[in-house]
Amino acid sequence: MRGFRKISRRAQRRTVQAVMLGCVLALAPATWMHAVADSRVRAVADVPAQDVAVVFGAGLWNGRPTPYLAHRLDAAAELYRAGKVKVVLVTGDNSRVEYDEPDAMRAYLTERGVPDGRIVSDYAGFDTWDSCVRAKEIFGVERAVLVTQGFHIRRAVALCRSAGVESYGVGVAEPHDVTWYYGGVREVFAAGKGSLDALLRPDPTFLGAKEPGVREALEAAGRGRAH
């Protein structure tokens, strides 16, 4: 009986140690992202000016941006009006004909005063890593202000920096509702994939040819300022 108790206690210790190790490993990616990005998350008023804002897709309802996506776009429009950015790159999912995040995002921004010629669309931003890599490799973005919700912004900044885009982030505040809590929990798991993306640097789902949209929009913005 005494031997059985020793074995049982040893098994309990190993179980506890295994659980603790699992927790450490599960939280390590999120800890890394906070370490990389915390100092680069700012409010609209104090984020450093950059040429480009990148707005990540967050879903559509009946062809229009969801409330979370609308709030991201509101922040981007505010950045543009404040002169913090010159061009807005909207990146999202257009994998189906009937589902077009970038065009819906463009329409929302133009309704709020951002000129159509200052908006560039990335139709293959299927996840955060894809959007960051494509911003760099396809659109030639070297520096950017990233716009997304607070629970997502650190992952976005960390991944874009890993992809070669020097980034600051604007984390859009939201009420702590069911969607917010779901997003926060989802980020714990998404951080694991994100850390693997940063380590392994996979190609995005679709890469394709380089596009001049951002460069042309910045050139047009420069001509407009000269006039």
Side-chain angles (χ1 to χ4, degrees), residues 87-92 100-107 116 118-125 134 138-139 211 213-214:
V87 171
V88 181
L89 175 62
V90 292
T91 175
D100 190 340
E101 277 188 313
D103 276 0
M105 295 162 77
R106 176 186 290 270
D116 186 73
R118 302 291 186 270
I119 306 168
V120 180
S121 297
D122 173 14
Y123 294 97
R134 285 177 55 81
I138 302 302
F139 295 95
E211 298 186 20
V214 169

Side-chain angles (χ1 to χ4, degrees), residues 63-134:
R64 296 283 296 173
T66 60
Y68 270 39
L69 180 52
H71 296 162
R72 297 179 188 188
L73 295 165
D74 289 337
E78 187 178 351
L79 285 167
Y80 180 83
R81 289 192 297 266
K84 294 280 188 174
V85 300
K86 303 170 186 173
V87 171
V88 181
L89 175 62
V90 292
T91 175
D93 186 351
N94 183 212
S95 58
R96 309 187 305 276
V97 173
E98 71 278 8
Y99 189 86
D100 190 340
E101 277 188 313
D103 276 0
M105 295 162 77
R106 176 186 290 270
Y108 188 96
L109 285 171
T110 57
E111 290 168 2
R112 280 145 187 84
V114 181
D116 186 73
R118 302 291 186 270
I119 306 168
V120 180
S121 297
D122 173 14
Y123 294 97
F126 300 126
D127 64 16
T128 305
W129 176 249
D130 282 15
S131 294
C132 291
V133 173
R134 285 177 55 81

Side-chain angles (χ1 to χ4, degrees), residues 21 31 45 85:
L21 178 61
T31 301
V85 300

Side-chain angles (χ1 to χ4, degrees), residues 1-12:
M1 178 66 89
R2 186 175 300 172
F4 175 78
R5 287 177 179 171
K6 288 182 179 178
I7 294 173
S8 177
R9 288 171 184 167
R10 189 179 304 126
Q12 288 175 356

Side-chain angles (χ1 to χ4, degrees), residues 148-172:
T148 182
Q149 265 69 37
F151 54 71
H152 176 224
I153 192 61
R154 289 166 181 80
R155 178 161 61 96
V157 169
L159 291 183
C160 277
R161 294 191 73 195
S162 294
V165 180
E166 189 66 18
S167 303
Y168 283 88
V170 170
V172 179

